[in-house]
Amino acid sequence: MLFRSLEQQGALEQERTRIARDFHDDLGSRLTHIKMLSESARRHANNPSETIADLSRISTAAREFTRSMEEIVWAVDPKNDSLDELATYLSGFAQDLLHSVKVRCRLDMPVQLPDWRLSAEIRHNIFMAFKEALNNALKHGQPTEVQIKMTCEASRFMVTVEDNGQGFAGPRNSGYGLSNMRSRLQKCGGEFFLKS
């Protein structure tokens, strides 16, 4: 019993460390960006067109900050520790993101999902890999449509992000996005597949 308690305490400490890192790295940099844009707007007080441009950038940065904060809160809230909640969150995130850039979003999700419990760490890693997949599709594929699909089998589920963009030829080695996706999914016992 003591071993189980120490194991749970270790998992809790790891989760707290991850949350602190997310707050520092993501939210800290976004707040710094908003602060710098605010200072720029103040410097441009006598130039209305520059001030309006700065205020527009501040508004966009504040929206992104709010979205990041919502992602962190969702990831740590234990009431979201289910496959159904994960599917709901991924669907909503994809629809909001794709709508904002005028790309059609097609969802293919099961009506009834198994009552599987997923830890905050697993949900977080799956969400971050999913978010990176969407960003890659938009950035590199330039699609007009993205399809999000979830399928469930006896003891596992699969999330597919497919777009009708331009695809790519040969291996993709630039950047850390693909290796981060693979690493995140492996941490939670999953696999990563990429096909052009």
Side-chain angles (χ1 to χ4, degrees), residues 30-31 33-34 37 52-68 100-101:
R30 290 183 190 279
L31 281 174
H33 185 225
I34 291 170
L37 289 172
I52 289 170
D54 286 334
L55 291 174
S56 176
R57 287 190 287 269
I58 290 169
S59 176
T60 299
R63 266 194 315 277
E64 290 170 358
F65 176 86
T66 301
R67 181 183 293 171
S68 290
S100 73
V101 293

Side-chain angles (χ1 to χ4, degrees), residues 6-196:
L6 290 173
E7 191 177 89
Q8 288 174 332
Q9 187 175 354
L12 181 61
E13 287 303 315
Q14 280 185 322
E15 188 61 15
R16 285 180 175 160
T17 301
R18 183 193 64 74
I19 294 166
R21 188 174 55 244
D22 285 352
F23 270 103
H24 177 270
D25 294 350
D26 187 27
L27 301 183
S29 67
R30 290 183 190 279
L31 281 174
T32 300
H33 185 225
I34 291 170
K35 178 179 176 243
M36 291 169 59
L37 289 172
S38 300
E39 290 169 0
S40 176
R42 189 172 44 228
R43 281 193 309 272
H44 295 130
N46 294 329
N47 186 338
S49 64
E50 285 292 327
T51 301
I52 289 170
D54 286 334
L55 291 174
S56 176
R57 287 190 287 269
I58 290 169
S59 176
T60 299
R63 266 194 315 277
E64 290 170 358
F65 176 86
T66 301
R67 181 183 293 171
S68 290
M69 181 68 121
E70 288 170 352
E71 290 168 11
I72 292 170
V73 170
W74 171 81
V76 299
D77 189 341
K79 77 174 188 213
N80 297 323
D81 287 352
S82 71
L83 181 60
D84 187 58
E85 287 295 331
L86 176 66
T88 300
Y89 194 80
L90 296 182
S91 299
F93 179 84
Q95 287 176 311
D96 289 347
L97 176 64
L98 296 172
H99 177 74
S100 73
V101 293
K102 297 180 177 32
V103 171
R104 184 172 179 231
C105 179
R106 288 182 48 214
L107 295 173
D108 184 358
M109 298 285 186
V111 175
Q112 187 74 29
L113 289 165
D115 187 22
W116 293 343
R117 308 312 297 163
L118 302 175
S119 71
E121 180 182 10
I122 288 174
R123 286 186 300 105
H124 175 74
N125 281 320
I126 291 171
F127 171 69
M128 294 304 287
F130 177 77
K131 183 177 177 182
E132 182 68 22
L134 283 177
N135 287 333
N136 282 345
L138 294 174
K139 182 178 177 183
H140 302 296
Q142 301 168 349
T144 59
E145 178 180 287
V146 175
Q147 179 178 8
I148 313 300
K149 182 177 183 179
M150 179 179 279
T151 55
C152 296
E153 294 178 2
S155 62
R156 65 183 189 156
F157 67 94
M158 182 165 63
V159 177
T160 305
V161 176
E162 185 175 342
D163 68 81
N164 68 350
Q166 62 190 6
F168 57 88
R172 305 285 288 196
N173 294 323
S174 60
Y176 296 102
L178 297 179
S179 62
N180 285 347
M181 290 167 66
R182 181 172 283 109
S183 173
R184 284 185 180 282
L185 295 174
Q186 286 173 345
K187 279 182 189 174
C188 53
E191 295 178 80
F192 170 77
F193 301 99
L194 177 65
K195 180 180 176 185
S196 179

